Amino acid sequence: MTDDLNETVPATGGATQAGGVLAAPLPSTPPRSQWHEVWTQFRQHKGAMMGGIVFLVIVLGVVLGPWLWPLDPAGIDFRARNDGPSLAHPFGTDQLGRDMLARMIDGGRVSLSVGITAMLLALVLGTLVGVLAGYFKRLDNALMRLTDLFLALPLLPLLLVMVLLFREPLAKAFGIETGIFILMVTAIGITSWMPTARIVRGDVLALKEREFVLAARSIGTTNTLMIARHILPNVISPIVVSATLGIANAIITESALSFLGLGFPPDFPTWGRLLFDAVDYMQQNPERVVMPGIAISLTVLSVNYLGDGLRDALDPRIRGR
Amino acid sequence: MNLRSALLGAAAFAALAPAAMAERGSDGHVNIIYWQAPSILNPYLSGGTKDIESSSMIIEPLGRFDQDGALVPFLASEIPTVENGGVSEDLTTITWTLKEGLLWSDGTPLTSEDVVFTAEYCMHPEGGCAQLSKFDAVESVEAIDDLTIQVNFKAPQPNPYLPFMGGQSPILQKAQFAECLGAAASTCTEQNFNPIGTGPFVVDEFKPNDVISMSANPNYRDPAKPAFATVTFKGGGDAASAGRAVLETGEFDYAWNLQLAPEVIEEMEKGGKGQTVAAFGTLVERLEMNLTDPSSDLPADIRATREAPHPILSDVRVRKALSMAIDRELLVEIGYGQAGRPTCNLVPAPARYASPNTDCIGQDLEGAMALLEEAGWTDTDGDGIRDKDGMKLSLLYQTSTNAVRQNFQDAIKAWWGMIGVETELRNISGSVFFGGDAGSPDTFQKFYADVEMYANNFDGTDPQAYLSMYRCGNEPKPSSQWQGENINRFCDPEYDALLDELAKTGELEKRGEIAIRLNEMLTKDTYTIVPLVDRGRVSAHSNTLGGVVLNTWDSELWNVADWYRIEE
Amino acid sequence: MLTFTLRRLLIAIPTLLASAIVIFALLQLAPGDPMANVPLTVPPEVKQKMREALGLGEPVHIQFWKWLVQFFWIEPQVLIDNIFGTSFAEGKLRVLSWQTRSPVMDIVMQRMPQTLWVVGTSYLVGIIIALPIGIYSAYRQYSVFDQAGTFISMVGYSVPTFFTGVLLIVIFSVNMPRESFFWFPSIYDTTHQVDSWSAFGFQVRQMFLPVMVLALYNAAQISRFMRASMLDNLNQDYVRTARAKGLGESIVVMVHVLRNSLIPVVTVIALGVPQVFGGAIITEQVFKVNGLGHLLIGAIEANDLPMVQTLTFIFAVLIVLFNLIADVLYGILDPRIRYD
């Protein structure tokens, strides 16, 4: 259990001690900061480090890519239509002769930023609703019925209405690109938090009946502290899974929305859109569907390993093993 | 590819003779796939192409258009004309005579009463008939005797072949639909799903938006036809999977309207299971220039109406320059291949009505730039975008979501970039763009953009109604709930006068001249409409399916009775 | 638990009514027009008449009231008539689709079988694959099996079904010779009747590709939650206690740990069941299964509001129902959870 995570002197008690049979040796060195411990453990997690490096490479690639690979992603070259991979175009070209590598770099920026921001928004919303509903009985019914309602809303008409109401004002206030970015992220975020909320609530319902919560309450822990120290760290693993799945979901949803004309203008490449456009060309130019597929999968995989590492590092019982 | 389709057609006809000897139902089963699924088998209640074409296998009109746009009698014994006396000299009546001995699929005889009833059904004020415009000019329809029907028009009608002609206007059985007049029309599910017809097939089972199972009509007028005993008409999915099912996996025999990039179709054809057929009609992909100001800074009742002229596009030189910058040959190559050809005309066919104008075909970037300079648009601040009086030459260019259209947008944006025009692109879901929802800012009628692209055509072979769309006053505006067909808000009294003249002219030569003039006023004189591609239709059939004659003037399944299986 | 269930069922009524109102309002607000698919050759005045014939001109609250009456009063009568052969509903106006002018519920019933066959099977297959993989991956964390499982499920989840579906078609329907045992149809035959073993064989074959695509996707998601939850529990003190007591490893893992790990998994599975009924929109489209998902997306595109309203409302009922079932299951899995 992670409830003893914040105890500065671990040997003085806590639920682990109460249930444990073996006596822990008395600490001989001064205790180190908890986050220092977490970081040490995280660094030892091979998968997490690999995931972190890959993720960093992808992020750096899409951010610095335009300097390393200066071809214009919108540069049309009618003589080089549907070319396979070559030195001039390592990823080949599309049906208008545009360089696929440059488009992947360009598209990655949009996909990654939309994917991560929307995922974070959904995660925060979902966790907030889930914890509140699970922890406070009075809120449970209202919040869960709200969740049911959101689950029931038809996605497409909802998005159409959002676009209808907010596209022009947002585009006016923030400029077309930022405006649409805000709209997209909000749209994906507020339509995908519900599963996280239900899952977190289920876990919290069970957690709050556990002994350590009872123990914490008996020493007068406030609700805020209880949620922050005892509940949240224990629901981290479903949240991490939701996060990894959420990124993949957001990237694909973004492309579906743009395809329907609800998202970015059609000359904005994104990974999801590149993949969608390439499906028809699967037989003659397989690299065109494979590349964005790999990019999305790699991102999701690396985030998944990062999450795994984070989860393990936050678990004191694994730590130091 | 014209030659090719002609050859294919000829081959099909040559092979037809032995098949005609065959017995009804001797060729077993045929599978047809439409990637849009039929929802209803009564074209009077839907108007959608998928519904009109699927029902054309079951119910038939008096006459149809063939693959060249010529009129051929189906239920009628001949096409009435002024020469044979079927059309009165003053063009106010047309008299149709039915073939003798025709039976409905339930075995009862077809009479003139059924034809009269069909008119009554569609003209009922509460019925919501989709083909009402075909009956607009009709004063009354009367049965002279069991086989003769006379249609009286309100005024002389130079083109009397509107009601009961083509897949849009087939004959319904009076006995079956008698209870379905007016408001009751939509409650007649059984009738709408299983209309009794005179066509080669009858419905066994109809699953709306999914599949129709049909079998040969036992009472079809030609005892040797149809060659197929049963048909599965599957709907749904997308054009790519429909094409694959015919050309690559061979699961289906016929796939409708393969709107796919030419190289994708080419790759599919390598599958060797089938071949594509192409034909041209009147469908033209075009750019529509907004002559009014769509700026969101304007009050809602003035925005995009004729009270606010467009600050940039009101100048014909700018419109012309935009057209000159486009390489139409290349657009065809990117988007349509054998199913497209560059055009400068709004009315590309039939030949009588098509202008010979080809001025726009060659791309002329230099000329376009010179024209913009002349119009006062110069790049004063060196950012690559022309400006004038502090205003940038920047346009919003919108269209519906469709892979080919987005490619066109990207290409045209690049060309306009070369002449110093900045373009912002936008794509909108077709169900919103083409819908008439007055509350939505994104419909093509509202036109809250500077340029938009879509395709349109006209039914049959006469362009009068089509050209009348651009009449002054017919533009979408707040007072008409944004309904209207004059999308560009074009207004020219001379054009309207010429339209009135066309409506009075019966002589075909003269009609052709006027139509060409009208077409040129919209295109090469004013560049209000910038035609891009004359879009043909590509469909595919399996190597073992014979008798297919692709027809863009009527239902593609117009001659399904003649289809047969080629023995391998 | 019984009183809890009853109370929740009672609360469900206002919840669902509120959902119906919100959905209706949303559909009214959404831009779109049932005439969008009618060709441009049909003039606007005619389209306007067609809209009026559909009842679009009526005030919004009357349209909603009509739908309520038709759905809650007339449709149940039709159902009773069908079961008992009575004629309560004769001549009464049912919920009619704007696209097909036929009763919405008839079409829904027509689509239900193929959705349940394909999407239902794939969901079951997905669960059956996912649970063992999730359990074993957690038990042998960071083993080769776990790493492979992680890789496959992550790729399976992040690659969208519009890609995997077409890929399988290219492999198994296009490039595979037609005579081969491994050839599978790319187009689902909804008219096929299962009335013999060979017909059943064909049914299995035509379901194979879509079920594979969907099962991969579902299994990926569920196995991740299963693994994470198992990992949380495997290191708990009670596991050590159970082992110390001398319980067999299989009992410790499969009874103690599994039971305590199931709460998030039950949530995920329960959340997914309404989606089974809702169909898998993209996969149904790729393989032309034409189930409920295809029906819904078609209705949304055609702005067939009565159809969309009815379908989404049915889904809302299922969502409320299965979330209730999940809540009841929590109490069974962990008796400490109480709702009173």
Side-chain angles (χ1 to χ4, degrees), chain A residues 45 141 145 148-149 161 198 201 203 209-210 237 245 249 275 289 297 304-305 308 311-312 317, chain C residues 8 11 15 19 30 141-142 147 150 154 157-158 160 163 224 227 231-232 235-236 264 323 327 336:
Chain A
H45 193 289
N141 217 329
R145 298 300 77 78
D148 285 350
L149 176 64
V161 170
R198 292 260 343 155
R201 167 183 170 268
D203 262 8
E209 306 295 339
R210 294 269 269 270
S237 52
L245 300 182
N249 231 340
L275 182 59
V289 312
S297 302
N304 172 66
Y305 278 109
D308 264 6
R311 202 196 64 87
D312 286 0
R317 259 160 294 114
Chain C
R8 275 286 296 274
I11 298 174
T15 312
S19 308
Q141 195 189 7
Y142 302 131
Q147 304 286 15
T150 302
M154 279 299 142
Y157 193 83
S158 38
F163 166 59
R224 293 319 289 171
R227 175 180 178 275
L231 278 177
D232 270 355
N235 291 312
Q236 298 282 0
N323 283 348
D327 280 352
R336 281 175 301 190

Side-chain angles (χ1 to χ4, degrees), chain B residues 45 47 208 210 241 251 431 436, chain C residues 33 39 101 186 190 288 290 301:
Chain B
L45 290 186
D210 180 13
S241 55
E251 287 166 90
S431 65
Chain C
D33 174 13
R101 319 289 174 105
S186 72
T190 45
K288 279 152 292 282
N290 292 2
E301 274 168 9

Side-chain angles (χ1 to χ4, degrees), chain C residues 13-318:
Chain C
I13 296 172
T15 312
L16 287 173
L17 204 63
S19 308
I21 294 175
V22 173
I23 295 169
F24 192 85
L26 195 65
L27 294 180
Q28 289 294 328
L29 256 180
D33 174 13
M35 297 297 121
N37 289 339
V38 174
L40 298 179
T41 45
V42 174
E45 311 85 66
V46 175
K47 285 188 185 161
Q48 190 49 35
K49 286 220 166 101
M50 292 172 74
R51 280 187 207 110
E52 279 161 18
L54 292 174
L56 255 106
E58 286 179 41
V60 176
H61 60 277
I62 293 185
Q63 288 186 37
F64 183 63
W65 177 246
K66 268 192 172 168
W67 178 82
L68 272 186
V69 171
Q70 286 166 352
F71 188 82
F72 287 102
W73 184 240
I74 299 175
E75 290 298 337
Q77 293 179 3
V78 175
L79 189 69
I80 295 172
D81 289 353
N82 279 340
I83 299 172
F84 301 107
T86 49
S87 55
F88 289 119
E90 222 170 66
K92 289 179 186 159
L93 199 60
R94 303 176 60 186
V95 186
L96 288 185
S97 149
W98 286 349
Q99 280 177 92
T100 67
R101 319 289 174 105
S102 70
V104 166
M105 287 310 285
D106 288 1
I107 306 176
V108 172
M109 295 320 286
Q110 221 171 53
R111 298 300 181 91
M112 199 72 93
Q114 50 257 39
T115 294
L116 289 184
W117 267 108
V118 173
V119 190
T121 315
S122 68
Y123 202 58
L124 280 180
V125 171
I127 295 173
I128 292 170
I129 300 175
L131 295 187
I133 291 182
I135 295 169
Y136 194 74
S137 298
Y139 189 66
R140 293 259 176 267
Q141 195 189 7
Y142 302 131
S143 66
V144 177
F145 181 87
D146 179 31
Q147 304 286 15
T150 302
F151 183 79
I152 293 172
S153 52
M154 279 299 142
V155 173
Y157 193 83
S158 38
V159 178
T161 46
F162 62 73
F163 166 59
T164 31
V166 177
L167 180 69
L168 288 191
I169 288 181
V170 168
I171 296 174
F172 289 106
S173 308
V174 174
N175 289 330
M176 197 63 69
R178 189 75 187 256
E179 314 73 54
S180 159
F181 175 76
F182 293 102
W183 184 88
F184 292 98
S186 72
I187 291 176
Y188 189 91
D189 178 6
T190 45
T191 59
H192 181 68
Q193 304 273 349
V194 179
D195 47 14
S196 65
W197 280 110
S198 66
F200 180 74
F202 178 78
Q203 176 68 14
V204 170
R205 296 190 73 82
Q206 72 166 347
M207 279 166 54
F208 185 76
L209 295 183
V211 166
M212 286 257 292
V213 168
L214 282 174
L216 176 69
Y217 187 78
N218 287 326
Q221 191 186 8
I222 297 168
S223 71
R224 293 319 289 171
F225 280 107
M226 186 74 242
R227 175 180 178 275
S229 185
M230 284 292 284
L231 278 177
D232 270 355
N233 278 284
L234 271 169
N235 291 312
Q236 298 282 0
D237 301 323
Y238 71 83
V239 180
R240 208 184 316 160
T241 316
R243 282 186 182 136
K245 256 187 351 189
L247 289 180
E249 192 65 14
S250 62
I251 294 189
V252 172
V253 176
M254 298 308 289
V255 178
H256 290 80
V257 180
L258 182 61
R259 179 168 175 168
N260 281 293
S261 312
L262 275 178
I263 285 187
V265 181
V266 163
T267 317
V268 175
I269 294 179
L271 279 171
V273 175
Q275 285 164 19
V276 170
F277 287 88
I281 292 175
I282 293 168
T283 314
E284 285 189 359
Q285 191 124 350
V286 170
F287 293 97
K288 279 152 292 282
V289 176
N290 292 2
L292 288 172
H294 181 267
L295 184 65
L296 178 64
I297 193 76
I300 289 175
E301 274 168 9
N303 251 282
D304 184 354
L305 297 193
M307 176 76 83
V308 180
Q309 169 84 18
T310 309
L311 277 175
T312 11
F313 186 73
I314 294 174
F315 299 153
V317 173
L318 287 169

Side-chain angles (χ1 to χ4, degrees), chain B residues 507-560:
Chain B
E507 194 191 330
L508 284 175
E509 284 296 298
K510 194 87 183 65
R511 284 180 72 76
E513 273 167 38
I514 299 173
I516 287 172
R517 188 70 212 106
L518 288 167
N519 168 53
E520 285 178 352
M521 286 172 88
L522 291 170
T523 56
K524 90 170 187 191
D525 296 0
T526 65
Y527 292 90
T528 307
I529 294 168
V530 175
L532 300 174
V533 178
D534 174 9
R535 280 176 54 185
R537 179 91 58 81
V538 177
S539 294
H541 65 86
S542 70
N543 291 332
T544 60
L545 181 68
V548 175
V549 179
L550 187 58
N551 184 345
T552 54
W553 303 99
D554 205 315
S555 163
E556 260 185 42
L557 304 173
W558 69 298
N559 74 334
V560 71

